[in-house]
Amino acid sequence: MQLTVLEKTVEAEDVVSLLLARPDGGRLPDWEPGAHVDLTLGSGATRQYSLCGDRWDAHRYRVAVLREPDGRGGSAFVHDELGVGAPVVLGGPRNHFALVPSPRYLFVAGGIGITPLLPMIAQAALVGAEWELLYGGRRRASMAFLDELAVHGDRVRIVPEDEAGLLPLGDVVGTPRHDTAVYCCGPAPLLAAIERTVVDSGWEPHRLRTERFTADDLTAPVRRAPFELELARSRTTVTVPLHVSVLEAARRAGATTLSSCERGTCGTCETTVLAGVPDHRDSILTDHERAAGDCMFPCVSRAAGDRLVLDL
């Protein structure tokens, strides 16, 4: 689906938001808090951005983009070249960071990680749940959407690192609560820190849900030998060598699976598993979802056994 940039707004140092709509003003697909979209830009790059606007606005999407000097060029294109009226191509929405019902929420954001949490906060407020937000960044000027968050008063705690140091996770997480869901999005060091804090504080592991912008370091695959891959729709069977991804092997066999990041973070290539046991190596699925074994991300995940059948 093609969209058009309606507005481009500077939200903080090195952060701009884009307001997107269909050229004909038509309705956009519904979405829920935590969802992201794939945007194919005029440069040809496809990137994933969390939806951070009003989910009840059926005609406009909002995303925010952080300029990443060491990135692959997508953010630089958005900041420097993408203007109002420019076309972008939409994929999605998809949601691997869904907000589960809970009487109480603790939201923790680092930098641009605030974006998927904004609609979650709106949803929590809408249903009358208790919630609080801990939001950190390098400095106040680099932290986006502070004005929007200010209306929530003392439910929001802003912690610029140059003023107050690192986020006080131990103080905020504190004693385990069985009525609280913890949602965290931000850079890898923050996610590692909150995972340690939750475990050390005695929380039930499933209380914490995180979303990563970068992939975990890949460990060695469970099976260090070739395996058979069957594409059920085309009734094709191929052998996947050790150093070829399932995604690439499927494409060589004629499958047309979409992909974007090819690092196990975006979810674009999610594929249904019909038989066999996946070796999950992505940074998306929860332990419960991995145990179910009914889907996988073939850009990084492989087979744990000698045969895998996918709905391709």
Side-chain angles (χ1 to χ4, degrees), residues 255-276:
T256 56
T257 305
L258 295 177
S259 67
S260 178
C261 74
E262 300 197 4
R263 296 178 294 173
T265 60
C266 74
T268 302
C269 67
E270 181 174 0
T271 302
T272 298
V273 177
L274 300 178

Side-chain angles (χ1 to χ4, degrees), residues 236-254:
T236 301
T237 299
V238 296
T239 299
V240 183
L242 180 60
H243 298 296
V244 173
S245 71
V246 173
L247 178 64
E248 179 59 26
R251 284 176 170 168
R252 291 178 184 178

Side-chain angles (χ1 to χ4, degrees), residues 179-229:
D179 64 346
T180 301
V182 183
Y183 281 78
C184 181
C185 185
L190 170 61
L191 301 185
I194 197 167
E195 287 169 352
R196 288 194 303 270
T197 302
V198 164
V199 171
D200 293 346
S201 300
W203 285 70
E204 299 168 299
H206 71 272
R207 294 287 169 188
L208 172 66
R209 291 189 65 96
T210 61
E211 183 168 62
R212 301 179 181 276
F213 293 140
T214 57
D216 292 334
D217 292 335
L218 287 178
T219 58
V222 169
R223 179 183 176 86
R224 298 191 60 81
F227 57 89
E228 283 193 351
L229 171 65

Side-chain angles (χ1 to χ4, degrees), residues 2-8 18-21 23 82-88:
Q2 182 169 300
L3 304 184
T4 300
V5 178
L6 290 183
E7 297 177 14
K8 181 177 178 180
L18 304 175
L19 198 64
L20 307 169
L82 191 69
V84 172
V88 297

Side-chain angles (χ1 to χ4, degrees), residues 102-219:
S102 178
R104 186 174 182 273
Y105 297 97
L106 169 59
F107 301 114
V108 181
I112 198 66
I114 189 61
T115 52
L117 302 185
L118 292 175
M120 294 186 180
I121 289 169
Q123 181 69 14
L126 179 66
V127 301
E130 290 295 317
W131 65 270
E132 59 181 309
L133 168 68
L134 181 65
Y135 178 18
R138 292 183 177 177
R139 54 190 176 278
R140 193 176 296 270
S142 69
M143 300 173 68
F145 305 112
L146 292 182
D147 290 344
E148 288 186 24
L149 292 167
V151 301
H152 298 295
D154 59 7
R155 288 181 183 269
V156 176
R157 184 174 176 183
I158 305 298
V159 186
E161 187 175 347
D162 64 344
E163 298 176 20
L166 298 176
L167 290 175
L169 297 178
D171 295 343
V172 175
V173 172
T175 303
R177 297 188 56 151
H178 299 294
D179 64 346
T180 301
V182 183
Y183 281 78
C184 181
C185 185
L190 170 61
L191 301 185
I194 197 167
E195 287 169 352
R196 288 194 303 270
T197 302
V198 164
V199 171
D200 293 346
S201 300
W203 285 70
E204 299 168 299
H206 71 272
R207 294 287 169 188
L208 172 66
R209 291 189 65 96
T210 61
E211 183 168 62
R212 301 179 181 276
F213 293 140
T214 57
D216 292 334
D217 292 335
L218 287 178
T219 58

